[in-house]
Amino acid sequence: MTHITVFGIPNCDTVKKARTWLADQQISFVFHDFKKQGLTAEQITLWLEHTDLATLINRKGTTWRALSDDQKQSADNVSEAIALMVQNPSLIKRPVLQIQNNNQITRLQTGFQPDLYAGIFSDTP
C-alpha cells in the first residue's frame, strides 16, 4: 500500500503550493509539520539513503544564514548535519515528499515543481 507524507512547515509558500497541488489532483497524503511534530535523526538518516546533504540542506534560507560559521562548516559532516537539522528543521529544503510502499521509501523528493510532481504521480499507483 502506498503511503504519501509531505514534511514541512505550514506557513512555507512552497509547502502550501505542494499541498494544494496534491489536493487538487485528489492525491491522498499526510502532512507532517516538523516544527510542531518534530523530526528525528533516524528519519533524516533514512532520507539520506535516498538523497544527499547538499540536496537536503537549504543553504539559501534565513535559517542557514543565521548559523555561525562553525555550524555551517559542521554541516559538511553527516552526523553533525543531522544534529543541526534535528535542532533546526527549517534548514531542510521544503517540502520533503516521501512515498512509501510496504514501509520502504520508494521515492523522496525535496522542493516542489508542478511538472516534477506530475511526473512522479503519473508513475505512482
Side-chain angles (χ1 to χ4, degrees):
M1 178 173 192
T2 301
H3 183 75
I4 300 166
T5 307
V6 175
F7 292 83
I9 53 177
N11 62 339
C12 171
D13 288 340
T14 309
V15 171
K16 287 178 188 176
K17 289 175 188 175
R19 293 173 69 186
T20 299
W21 188 93
L22 289 166
D24 288 349
Q25 306 306 311
Q26 299 180 342
I27 296 170
S28 180
F29 68 95
V30 173
F31 177 67
H32 181 100
D33 179 343
F34 51 52
K35 278 205 171 179
K36 288 186 181 172
Q37 294 171 274
L39 202 53
T40 64
E42 293 78 15
Q43 180 67 57
I44 296 170
T45 300
L46 278 174
W47 290 347
L48 290 171
E49 292 176 13
H50 300 274
T51 192
D52 58 23
L53 281 176
T55 302
L56 195 56
I57 295 177
N58 178 5
R59 295 175 191 261
K60 296 179 181 176
T62 56
T63 303
W64 175 261
R65 290 193 295 271
L67 294 178
S68 70
D69 289 341
D70 287 344
Q71 288 174 309
K72 289 176 183 176
Q73 283 185 322
S74 72
D76 292 330
N77 173 289
V78 173
S79 61
E80 291 180 34
I82 290 170
L84 272 175
M85 288 184 275
V86 168
Q87 188 177 20
N88 302 288
S90 295
L91 280 174
I92 298 169
K93 185 173 182 179
R94 302 176 300 267
V96 176
L97 173 71
Q98 176 181 287
I99 301 173
Q100 288 181 282
N101 283 310
N102 300 321
N103 293 323
Q104 298 292 318
I105 296 175
T106 56
R107 180 74 187 241
L108 189 82
Q109 182 65 50
T110 59
F112 170 73
Q113 295 174 0
D115 293 346
L116 183 63
Y117 270 41
I120 290 168
F121 290 101
S122 67
D123 296 336
T124 303

